[in-house]
Amino acid sequence: MIDLHTHTTCSDGTDAPFALVKKALAAGITTLAITDHDSTAGWEEAVSAIQPQIELVLGAEISCLTTDGISVHMLGLLFDGKNSEMQQMLSDSRDTRVPRMRKMVELMSADGVNISLDDVYRATPEGATVGRPHLADALVANGVVATRDEAFLDLLNNESKYYVTHAAPTPVDAIEVIRKAGGVAVIAHPFASRRGQIITASTFTDLVAAGLNGIEVHHRDQSADEQSTLTAIAQELNLVITGSSDYHGTGKLNGLAENTTHQAQWEQLESLADARRVVKK
């Protein structure tokens, strides 16, 4: 089983990197990608947990904004973690998250929602990149909502009046940096309309020109019709088709390997990196 999109406590997951790898082993996953938001901080710990039965794909999920303000997430996999341009892009994105969070909290507090920035920090694991899931956890802790999912549906989705964008690379810029760092770029859940505005099919032309390698087609936030459309787009543009859990631990319903990537598709994707960077024991 191949799961190419998971998160740890180094971004907004609830499992430490070591624990996540162990859970993946127990679930029978043979290839696991660690893709924390705008961070590679969990790589070393994850590598320390691998066993001969599992191989590790190191990556990150980069938060992007299109030129017309649509939020897009780009999975960068198998890039050189020491590449300075790549690390600078990740750092710049992380640095904009605190002022964004402060503004969202201010907007909610102004409407009488029981939340403070300190509440969010208490809900954020040490060393993690602060994000909306931590705000959601703080809202749960304060009794404003019952679950993280409810927080996103009611208060934190991209169409909410409390949503605040943050400085981020465009998807084209992110792809170009990932590819220059030797990695491969896969756009994450591009038609997940329940999250907010989505890109159109025509957008993929520019992304392919920038070096896009694949589309995350099989994802719980995309309907069967959306997955069918994305499959057709991928086939037309000769892009790799992936399936992933987008696992976050107890914070979301997503289960490890609930969607997976076909072996042949993974082999094609892995071959497009400029070096063999899959970590094995």
Side-chain angles (χ1 to χ4, degrees):
M1 290 193 294
I2 302 167
D3 192 340
L4 298 179
H5 184 175
T6 66
H7 297 273
T8 78
T9 49
C10 291
S11 64
D12 54 351
T14 59
D15 293 329
F18 191 94
L20 176 55
V21 174
K22 294 303 184 185
K23 279 190 177 181
L25 269 165
I29 292 171
T30 52
T31 301
L32 177 75
I34 301 291
T35 53
D36 282 314
H37 290 284
D38 305 310
S39 176
T40 60
W43 285 15
E44 185 176 353
E45 182 180 330
V47 168
S48 73
I50 63 172
Q51 297 295 323
Q53 307 96 305
I54 192 170
E55 61 183 21
L56 203 59
V57 179
L58 300 175
E61 185 174 15
I62 296 113
S63 308
C64 307
L65 282 175
T66 66
T67 54
D68 50 354
I70 297 173
S71 176
V72 172
H73 288 176
M74 193 66 61
L75 296 171
L77 306 173
L78 302 172
F79 57 84
D80 178 2
K82 295 180 180 179
N83 180 275
S84 59
E85 189 175 359
M86 185 73 192
Q87 287 296 340
Q88 188 63 56
M89 179 173 69
L90 298 177
S91 176
D92 289 346
S93 185
R94 292 194 303 271
D95 286 347
T96 66
R97 287 177 174 268
V98 172
R100 173 210 198 192
M101 185 58 60
R102 182 179 295 110
K103 182 61 177 176
M104 290 183 72
V105 167
E106 288 174 354
L107 290 171
M108 298 177 94
S109 295
D111 274 0
V113 178
N114 177 26
I115 192 69
S116 70
L117 195 57
D118 285 341
D119 295 333
V120 179
Y121 286 146
R122 278 192 291 270
T124 305
E126 185 177 354
T129 303
V130 67
R132 281 183 292 169
H134 304 122
L135 174 53
D137 291 344
L139 291 167
V140 172
N142 287 2
V144 177
V145 294
T147 66
R148 206 187 246 194
D149 275 356
E150 182 184 338
F152 272 88
L153 285 172
D154 294 345
L155 299 171
L156 304 181
N157 66 78
N158 293 10
E159 304 303 313
S160 167
K161 67 177 181 177
Y162 303 121
Y163 178 75
V164 176
T165 61
H166 62 102
T170 67
V172 165
D173 288 341
I175 291 168
E176 290 176 346
V177 173
I178 291 165
R179 298 304 306 279
K180 282 193 286 185
V184 293
V186 177
I187 188 168
H189 43 68
F191 280 6
S193 56
R194 71 187 290 267
R195 294 168 175 254
Q197 275 188 300
I198 59 172
I199 62 173
T200 62
S202 62
T203 305
F204 286 96
T205 302
D206 290 338
L207 301 185
V208 170
L212 183 69
N213 300 108
I215 301 175
E216 186 180 60
V217 171
H218 306 298
H219 186 286
R220 70 155 48 223
D221 289 346
Q222 293 172 157
S223 68
D225 286 345
E226 289 167 340
Q227 292 184 34
S228 178
T229 299
L230 286 170
T231 297
I233 291 170
Q235 291 172 341
E236 179 182 350
L237 298 175
N238 195 31
L239 295 170
V240 172
I241 294 169
T242 72
S244 310
S245 66
D246 197 0
Y247 175 77
H248 283 71
T250 57
K252 289 188 176 182
L253 299 176
N254 311 45
L256 273 172
E258 66 176 28
N259 289 290
T260 56
T261 300
H262 191 278
Q263 180 69 32
Q265 294 290 304
W266 162 237
E267 289 175 359
Q268 180 183 347
L269 183 64
E270 198 264 342
S271 73
L272 298 173
D274 74 346
R276 310 306 289 265
R277 295 194 180 91
V278 174
V279 184
K280 303 177 183 181
K281 187 167 185 177

